[in-house]
Amino acid sequence: MSMENLSVARKGYFGEFGGSFVPEDLQGVLNELEQQFLKYKDDPEFIEEYKYYLREYIGRENPLTFAENLTKQIGGAKIYLKREDLNHTGAHKINNAIGQILLAKRMGAKRIIAETGAGQHGVATATACAMFGMECIIYMGKLDTERQALNVFRMELLGAKVIPVTKGQGRLKDAVDEALGDLVQNYQNTFYLLGSAVGPHPYPTMVKHFQAIISEESKRQVLEKEGKLPTAVIACAGGGSNAIGAFAHYIDEENVRLIGVEPAEAPTLTEGVPAVIHGFKCLTLIDENGEPKPTYSIAAGLDYPGVGPEHSYLKESGRAEYVTATGQDALEAFQLLCKTEGIIPALESSHAVAHAVKLAKELSSDDVLIVNLSGRGDKDVEQVFQMLKK
Ligand SMILES: *Cc1c(COP(=O)(O)O)cnc(C)c1O
């Protein structure tokens, strides 16, 4: 896709971050999407339907579990776990997939397209499409289809067509380009379902809207259980969708610390610089040539050189803190949560658990921490087996 004719819309900005840096034909599609999102997000019938599927299909609300054994073992702050791992399909991604597909249905779309790297967003999208009887096309880098053969099969079982992308390096970025090309060609009947709080406006705002259910629930739950707000909310950050959803209802509560945990191997917010990637501006890791830098995290869902624009702004404005945890830290936290609580966390979520354990020790028993357990670790058990055997 040519990057000439850039049209820059001064909306969807978080400080200097966000916006929409896309060719003009795509901008028209995004403008229409923004209109429809604004129209339906406050529509009582739309909200009722969204809440219906959250409850009856995803299984919300999920609990805010007091991790009593872990708290006792660590000493210090009380640790609570927001249980996104208990959602249907095993992570937070389905909240957003259901929200967007309901919007797609309202817009008369018959075809859903998405791109996926590790396959988790592809699986959530294919699940939602099966539920709503929509045609589902998933673009995936050829290399990724080979590394994630089981997730490809999972998507196919759910009725999706997975298209391996051989262009470029056959990675996520190339799959994004193919999906955007498809959207421009087929926008009359096609909806692009984006999986994280990234991309051009209105996606970061829309994804936050559908993930905000996490903190809407946790705030109510912590007030019920503790009679006060938490000292801190901790979430892992890849693109940033589970973190922004976990933070959303606390952003205006100045006394609640918001802490995003990145993999030390892809420290976008801690070491990134402002740049435009994939159609929006954010803190990002770039190489000498200004290209997105290849990253490697043991948690596939955190392996992205950019991050959502709102996190970039929360970092620069000082409202949220961003720290790192190494793959080794995450691996230890993974095992600790298994043994103490009988919960197998996703390797992504294990980064947040690792930081919570560190922070809890520095605080007192009057402090309350909420860790967003973004997903379950069943998908990671074989990988952990390989790592621990070595
Ligand atoms: C995809 C994924 C993430 C990372 O994505 P965000 O948009 O940063 O939330 C984190 N945890 C799990 C379990 C995931 O599947």
Side-chain angles (χ1 to χ4, degrees):
M1 180 177 295
S2 113
M3 289 302 278
E4 292 149 35
N5 272 336
L6 288 183
S7 89
V8 180
R10 294 295 312 176
K11 53 187 171 184
Y13 274 86
F14 305 89
E16 66 166 307
F17 301 104
S20 178
F21 298 78
V22 299
E24 229 160 316
D25 43 3
L26 182 54
Q27 189 57 54
V29 179
L30 294 174
N31 290 346
E32 174 64 15
L33 176 61
E34 181 197 33
Q35 288 307 312
Q36 298 292 325
F37 169 63
L38 292 176
K39 176 172 159 196
Y40 285 114
K41 81 178 175 56
D42 299 318
D43 173 52
E45 250 174 65
F46 183 87
I47 295 171
E48 196 183 321
E49 201 180 354
Y50 174 59
K51 296 256 156 137
Y52 173 86
Y53 287 100
L54 290 184
R55 189 177 66 240
E56 303 293 329
Y57 192 61
I58 300 179
R60 304 196 78 97
E61 80 180 31
N62 59 43
L64 180 70
T65 306
F66 176 38
E68 192 171 359
N69 300 330
L70 181 65
T71 297
K72 275 202 185 116
Q73 181 161 332
I74 302 298
K78 287 175 96 167
I79 301 175
Y80 280 87
L81 306 170
K82 182 58 179 157
R83 302 294 304 280
E84 295 302 304
D85 62 309
L86 294 180
N87 295 342
H88 176 46
T89 68
H92 67 291
K93 287 198 173 73
I94 191 79
N95 303 329
N96 169 56
I98 293 288
Q100 285 193 43
I101 211 163
L102 288 174
L103 183 61
K105 200 177 81 170
R106 294 288 195 294
M107 291 172 69
K110 299 276 179 285
R111 257 177 111 237
I112 301 292
I113 60 171
E115 91 295 331
T116 194
Q120 288 146 239
H121 174 55
V123 170
T125 302
T127 301
C129 287
M131 181 64 187
F132 288 90
M134 296 264 201
E135 186 186 348
C136 181
I137 312 284
I138 305 289
Y139 290 98
M140 196 167 177
K142 176 115 195 316
L143 202 74
D144 292 328
T145 60
E146 288 159 7
R147 292 194 300 193
Q148 302 287 340
L150 203 60
N151 267 340
V152 172
F153 182 59
R154 212 170 259 140
M155 289 180 248
E156 288 169 350
L157 280 175
L158 292 161
K161 185 171 173 206
V162 179
I163 302 183
V165 176
T166 50
K167 276 192 200 145
Q169 302 182 316
R171 298 288 308 273
L172 180 62
K173 176 186 180 301
D174 311 296
V176 173
D177 287 343
E178 284 293 294
L180 288 174
D182 181 321
L183 180 63
V184 168
Q185 291 272 307
N186 301 302
Y187 67 90
Q188 271 120 342
N189 71 347
T190 298
F191 186 99
Y192 184 5
L193 208 160
L194 215 141
S196 189
V198 297
H201 180 68
Y203 282 104
T205 298
M206 193 159 72
V207 173
K208 177 191 184 185
H209 180 78
F210 292 128
Q211 293 293 2
I213 187 68
I214 300 173
S215 49
E216 185 185 316
E217 289 178 4
S218 79
K219 195 174 188 181
R220 186 169 63 234
Q221 291 168 316
V222 76
L223 286 173
E224 245 165 52
K225 287 171 199 284
E226 290 288 333
K228 63 180 180 190
L229 293 174
T231 307
V233 179
I234 304 171
C236 65
S241 71
N242 88 87
I244 205 69
F247 293 173
H249 287 268
Y250 300 100
I251 290 175
D252 292 336
E253 306 284 357
E254 281 171 25
N255 294 328
V256 178
R257 288 171 66 183
L258 305 175
I259 306 177
V261 187
E262 305 186 289
E265 299 79 9
T268 314
L269 286 154
T270 20
E271 289 177 18
V273 295
V276 173
I277 61 161
H278 302 162
F280 69 107
K281 190 172 181 184
C282 66
L283 289 173
T284 175
L285 299 167
I286 50 175
D287 64 18
E288 317 77 68
N289 304 319
E291 293 293 318
K293 211 177 192 170
T295 53
Y296 177 77
S297 166
I298 61 164
L302 303 183
D303 214 358
Y304 181 62
V307 67
E310 193 167 358
H311 287 294
S312 304
Y313 176 66
L314 289 171
K315 153 90 202 253
E316 298 273 276
S317 67
R319 174 63 190 95
E321 307 157 50
Y322 294 90
V323 299
T324 60
T326 66
Q328 184 59 35
D329 296 337
L331 194 56
E332 283 165 21
F334 176 98
Q335 296 171 82
L336 180 63
L337 201 66
C338 288
K339 293 225 169 75
T340 54
E341 298 291 336
I343 295 171
I344 304 180
L347 281 174
E348 290 84 358
S349 324
S350 301
H351 286 73
V353 175
H355 186 72
V357 164
K358 215 160 113 185
L359 183 61
K361 287 179 195 160
E362 299 164 10
L363 300 173
S364 83
S365 57
D366 290 335
D367 288 299
V368 169
L369 300 181
I370 293 180
V371 181
N372 195 42
L373 214 63
S374 56
R376 68 178 82 128
D378 303 46
K379 68 181 178 59
D380 300 317
V381 168
E382 193 186 332
Q383 188 188 342
V384 171
F385 173 65
Q386 297 298 339
M387 289 187 290
L388 292 181
K389 260 197 337 183
K390 281 185 191 151

